[in-house]
Amino acid sequence: MQRPATVRSAIKLSLALALAACGGGGGPSGPGVLPPPNPPSSGTPFRNAPAVRARNGVAAADLRVTVNPSTGLPAFEFGGKIGVAPTFDVSPGDRIVIRLHNALTGGGMQNDINLHFHGMSVSPRAPGDDVLTMMASPGETLHYDVLVPKNQQPGLYWYHPHIHGETNYQVGLAGMSGAIVVEGLSQSDLSLAKMKERIIIVRDVQDGPGSRVANRPKPMDEDQNAHPCGPDQGVHLTTNNVVRPTIRIAPGESQFFRVVNATGHRHLVLQVDGQQLQVVAIDGYALNVNPGDPPVMNVNRYVIPVAGRVEFVVTGPASGTSELRTLCYNSGPGGDPDPPEILADIRAPDRSDARDEPAAGPMLPRLGTATVKPLVVPKATTQRLVRLTEDANGFYINGQAFQPDARAMFSPKDGTVEQWTVLNLTQEVHDFHMHQVHFLVQSINDAPVTDPHWADTIVVPPRIPGANGTFKPGSVVVLADFRSPAIRGMSLFHCHILDHEDAGMMAKMQIL
């Protein structure tokens, strides 16, 4: 169904900011912009990652971390296959149990490992989503036991390492990440249960051991924005670890695409050529979790921040041919290049169909037992101000670079809702993310969002230049939901552009 224009206000504003310096959205890279050459189609059939489904309420798996011989970088190993990260398929009330063994060798924090369960309203205390004290050095093993709350919204989440100073290296360059699906979204929309499900993880991995980023001396911001559309030297995008695979979809057939932006710093402006995206969920939350919002939003393209997710329906083109691509994204005068690129070819089935549907990996969403639960937000009890700054020495929140032994910057109380105003005083975008909680986006650059949407990661626009060297900070206002008792403990908030996080743009919050 077509969503009213007022409901799309936040999406349209975000796209306008993203595409402004790229000449708008008139084409894959905007008028007058010459994109870098697209990688040739690999011809490889798209495949979902293997799935670990809950049995008797437990989704259990052994993960090893070892060296990927093709890149020389750390990688997950699952089922004896290096570079494979399974999708955990659970329902609210299930447990995710992971034995994570560090099989790397050598010293230094770049060889330590742990896991963050991104977007989940789970405990930040061991053996749960504890990224501050749970770290395995080479030869050590971590045992995770993560209880998915019974009130967890059904949707798409993900997991990845979270070693401070090494996240861009491990997640961005090495591509260490996997999906988590909390079942139940199709219970609220039975048509989804009849569709093939494509769990798409977009990663930006380095080109090879000889790349400029293979041996970085320290965390750093890779600013090189001579042109807003790049190219981004030394890294390339993959779709489920394949460069430009082929997704088979019959003309008129509907399929359910669930996309994770697991890159280190690339914003994705998703587009399927020749059609609108029928968006049903953002960052794991269905659109109609916000009471009064329709369940579907039709847009021509959608910006996924670093670490964000979007779930949408795609209809097979009548011509039998289309492309899933990301457009040029303007990350600001000081930002990293986010060039256009084809992520996957969409083609009608042919005689090679059998190769397209491997036995491993979920293809049909289960109904599950959960449904979308509307969240009514009470009045905020506390207001917080977050100022994002940077200089030649690092990145800061409220003037402080992250220190592992620092005290909590804020102490939100369980059972409350807080209003957070996030100001960006820099010349590049930042992606604001909170652990354990989702937030309702209220305004962007002082423009009210007519119908707010829930998210766990949001783009904060760069500062706006004024006369005589003055500027106005970019801004986002959100209502952060601390009403789940499961989330009590020491947690984090930070910029999810990972080299910014590594270089200090992160702080602690103690949820009481």
Side-chain angles (χ1 to χ4, degrees), residues 65 73-76 102 104 107-114 131 135-136 138 160-177 213-220 262-264 402 404 494 496-504 506:
V65 178
L73 297 175
F76 287 126
N102 188 344
L104 298 173
M109 289 191 68
Q110 71 269 20
N111 289 320
D112 290 346
I113 198 70
N114 65 2
V131 301
M135 289 180 281
H160 61 81
H162 206 293
I163 301 293
H164 176 60
E166 305 298 334
T167 54
N168 190 50
Y169 174 65
Q170 295 179 345
V171 182
L173 305 181
M176 298 180 68
S177 54
V213 291
N215 295 296
R216 77 278 177 269
K218 62 181 180 179
M220 63 180 294
T263 68
F402 179 77
H494 59 85
H496 217 289
I497 297 176
L498 295 183
D499 42 11
H500 298 181
E501 172 192 330
D502 284 339
M506 182 162 69

Side-chain angles (χ1 to χ4, degrees), residues 264-325:
H265 66 264
R266 290 279 289 271
H267 297 78
L268 304 178
V269 186
L270 279 193
Q271 174 179 292
V272 175
D273 293 352
Q275 67 173 273
Q276 290 189 314
L277 310 180
Q278 302 172 52
V279 177
V280 298
I282 295 170
D283 284 2
Y285 278 36
L287 297 182
N288 57 349
V289 167
N290 192 42
D293 280 3
V296 178
M297 173 177 61
N298 295 331
V299 296
N300 293 326
R301 54 190 64 90
Y302 183 80
V303 176
I304 311 183
V306 182
R309 286 90 62 215
V310 64
E311 302 173 67
F312 56 93
V313 174
V314 171
T315 302
S319 65
T321 301
S322 186
E323 269 72 43
L324 172 66
R325 69 173 76 235

Side-chain angles (χ1 to χ4, degrees), residues 139-178:
E140 296 180 342
T141 300
L142 294 174
H143 297 271
Y144 286 93
D145 193 337
V146 179
L147 176 63
V148 182
K150 291 184 178 180
N151 64 348
Q152 182 73 55
Q153 293 288 342
L156 181 63
Y157 305 89
W158 66 301
Y159 62 94
H160 61 81
H162 206 293
I163 301 293
H164 176 60
E166 305 298 334
T167 54
N168 190 50
Y169 174 65
Q170 295 179 345
V171 182
L173 305 181
M176 298 180 68
S177 54

Side-chain angles (χ1 to χ4, degrees), residues 194-198 247-257 275 278 313-318 346-349 353 356-357 363-364:
K194 302 175 183 178
M195 300 178 193
K196 281 183 179 177
E197 179 185 64
R198 308 289 191 177
I247 298 174
R248 298 289 179 181
I249 178 170
E253 176 191 0
S254 294
Q255 292 189 5
F256 189 30
F257 283 29
Q275 67 173 273
Q278 302 172 52
V313 174
V314 171
T315 302
I346 296 176
R347 300 290 183 264
D353 253 5
D356 184 43
E357 308 298 347
M363 296 304 297
L364 293 174

Side-chain angles (χ1 to χ4, degrees), residues 87 89 121 204 228 230 383 397 399 434 438:
T87 295
D89 191 340
S121 297
D204 57 342
Q383 295 185 343
I397 294 181
M434 302 178 76
H438 271 64

